[in-house]
């Protein structure tokens, strides 16, 4: 696994999440706002583009449908931003149509910093490089802005069932 060496300095006390539309409209949640949103338990299998999988991991998080509810947008892409220098992009439709979450608990506890706490994305139908740890926001765009791994040659979409590991696959 290739990952950040050190978790960034962010805690629940300082965490905010900002959703920005392609026209520049913003919504920001602090930790209290975020934890007041409806959350659900979910069990998912994780698939890394490096070839390993972890089956049946247990999380609690806020479905992206809750975050995106009522949003006026014609954007096609969602750039996922973090408190580290990592970012990644997925089609907005995947966040609207597929089960995806911003998770805050892992295996019954607040997510440890090393695993992306206080909050991380979980997009289990795509390779794990799309599931950004230490999430800070989502910016909607008409462009598929390549993220850190995508610029490294990872596949722009990353479907495990089609083994879309590299952009040439
Ligand atoms: N912020 C951030 N998120 C990230 C990464 C990263 O380096 N930084 N690595 C990605 C990759 S390539 C993988 S395989 C998973 C690893 O998640 P884990 O540490 O929970 O196993 O996080 C993804 N999310
Ligand atoms: Mo990875």
């Amino acid at each position: 696994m290739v990952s950040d060496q050190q978790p960034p300095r962010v805690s629940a006390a300082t965490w905010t999440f900002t959703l920005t539309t392609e026209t520049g409209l913003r919504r920001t949640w602090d930790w209290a706002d975020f934890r007041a949103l409806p959350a659900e338990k979910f069990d998912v299998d994780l698939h890394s583009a490096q070839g390993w999988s972890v089956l049946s991991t247990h999380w609690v998080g806020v479905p992206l449908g809750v975050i995106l509810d009522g949003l006026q947008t014609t954007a096609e892409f969602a750039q996922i931003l973090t408190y580290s220098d990592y970012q990644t992009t997925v089609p907005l439709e995947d966040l609207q149509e597929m089960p995806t979450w911003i998770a805050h608990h892992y295996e019954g506890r607040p997510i440890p910093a090393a695993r992306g706490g206080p909050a991380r994305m979980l997009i289990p139908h795509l390779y794990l490089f799309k599931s950004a740890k230490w999430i800070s926001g989502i910016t909607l765009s008409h462009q598929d802005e390549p993220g850190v791994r995508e610029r490294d040659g990872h596949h722009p979409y990353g479907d495990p069932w089609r083994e879309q590991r590299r952009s040439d696959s």
Side-chain angles (χ1 to χ4, degrees):
M1 160 181 27
V2 185
S3 212
D4 289 328
Q5 301 274 313
Q6 288 276 31
R9 285 173 189 269
V10 56
S11 66
T14 57
W15 186 89
T16 62
F17 175 85
T18 300
L19 176 64
T20 308
T21 69
E22 75 280 16
T23 60
L25 293 177
R26 287 164 167 255
R27 278 191 207 162
T28 297
W29 291 260
D30 66 12
W31 189 253
D33 300 331
F34 173 65
R35 294 292 279 107
L37 296 172
E40 59 192 32
K41 290 187 180 184
F42 58 99
D43 300 348
V44 291
D45 299 341
L46 308 178
H47 303 288
S48 139
Q50 272 60 48
W52 51 267
S53 295
V54 185
L55 303 184
S56 191
T57 60
H58 303 91
W59 305 82
V60 182
V62 177
L64 264 292
V66 169
I67 300 282
L68 300 171
D69 188 42
L71 199 69
Q72 299 290 317
T73 180
T74 60
E76 293 86 357
F77 296 98
Q79 185 180 32
I80 303 164
L81 306 169
T82 74
Y83 283 94
S84 66
D85 58 7
Y86 197 82
Q87 81 283 120
T88 185
T89 300
V90 299
L92 177 58
E93 199 175 35
D94 284 53
L95 301 185
Q96 293 167 322
E97 306 294 331
M98 299 296 288
T100 55
W101 297 270
I102 300 176
H104 50 69
H105 278 70
Y106 174 63
E107 303 298 351
R109 293 166 179 267
I111 304 176
R115 301 307 302 277
R120 73 174 293 168
M121 285 296 297
L122 262 304
I123 307 180
H125 71 285
L126 298 179
Y127 276 130
L128 200 52
F129 72 88
K130 297 291 187 179
S131 291
K133 301 191 277 191
W134 313 297
I135 189 171
S136 64
I138 292 178
T139 295
L140 305 181
S141 172
H142 293 299
Q143 267 85 50
D144 188 354
E145 302 289 348
V148 169
R149 295 282 186 270
E150 293 90 335
R151 285 195 299 268
D152 264 8
H154 280 63
H155 197 280
Y157 184 62
D159 180 353
W161 307 111
R162 287 182 279 170
E163 298 198 32
Q164 293 174 337
R165 296 192 163 103
R166 308 287 304 175
S167 47
D168 51 18
S169 61

